[in-house]
Amino acid sequence: MQVTPSGSVRPLAAETLSTVLEAPAETAALVGVTSELLPVDPAPLATADDQGRLPLLRRLLDAGCLVAIREPAHHGYDWHLFAPEPLLERLEAALRAHPVPGVRRFLVPYQKARTEERFYFEQWMLDGPSRPDYIREI
């Protein structure tokens, strides 16, 4: 399901996901579901603040949904991914299975990247010994 910035919710075909990720301005959040019925209306993901989203996010995760929330960043957007179970190993395997020539991709666990300096590591520690070992290049 795609949640637009205005809060409307619409189905999203899997084959159009790459288009949404390449041009995310019309998407506030994505909700992956295993059935057509959602446990709760995801529309407030578009308009609620971080604290207001928590109960909704918890209900979606408890129902087994995968949620990606688009957040403004200094140079575009970042996607914050929430899942009912850890995804790090599965995400790494999926990224390795689909290499992109000329593109460097990194996995950074959220609990390790809680400051701007750590989150935007690519600005000053992309290469060399200063890059922490918890940042995995794929």
Side-chain angles (χ1 to χ4, degrees):
M1 299 298 236
Q2 179 183 28
V3 182
T4 67
S6 65
S8 59
V9 179
R10 57 183 172 228
L12 182 68
E15 59 272 5
T16 62
L17 182 59
S18 63
T19 304
V20 169
L21 295 176
E22 289 171 9
E26 291 304 312
T27 303
L30 297 167
V31 179
V33 296
T34 55
S35 70
E36 295 206 16
L37 296 175
L38 288 170
V40 63
D41 179 14
L45 288 173
T47 56
D49 63 14
D50 288 344
Q51 288 299 314
R53 286 183 191 148
L54 289 178
L56 173 60
L57 188 56
R58 172 55 41 211
R59 288 197 55 204
L60 290 167
L61 293 175
D62 286 347
C65 297
L66 181 68
V67 180
I69 298 175
R70 181 194 62 147
E71 296 287 349
H74 295 294
H75 303 287
Y77 301 102
D78 291 327
W79 287 97
H80 293 217
L81 186 61
F82 301 90
E85 72 278 334
L87 289 180
L88 189 63
E89 301 307 320
R90 288 174 46 198
L91 185 56
E92 182 174 356
L95 290 172
R96 286 192 190 285
H98 302 282
V100 179
V103 174
R104 296 178 75 180
R105 301 179 296 179
F106 299 87
L107 287 176
V108 183
Y110 179 73
Q111 68 270 29
K112 300 282 189 177
R114 298 295 300 256
T115 66
E116 285 240 342
E117 177 182 350
R118 289 182 178 172
F119 189 75
Y120 294 104
F121 70 92
E122 80 279 3
Q123 300 293 316
W124 47 81
M125 60 173 121
L126 190 58
D127 293 304
S130 64
R131 189 173 79 213
D133 61 356
Y134 61 82
I135 297 174
R136 295 191 209 175
E137 184 165 9
I138 306 302

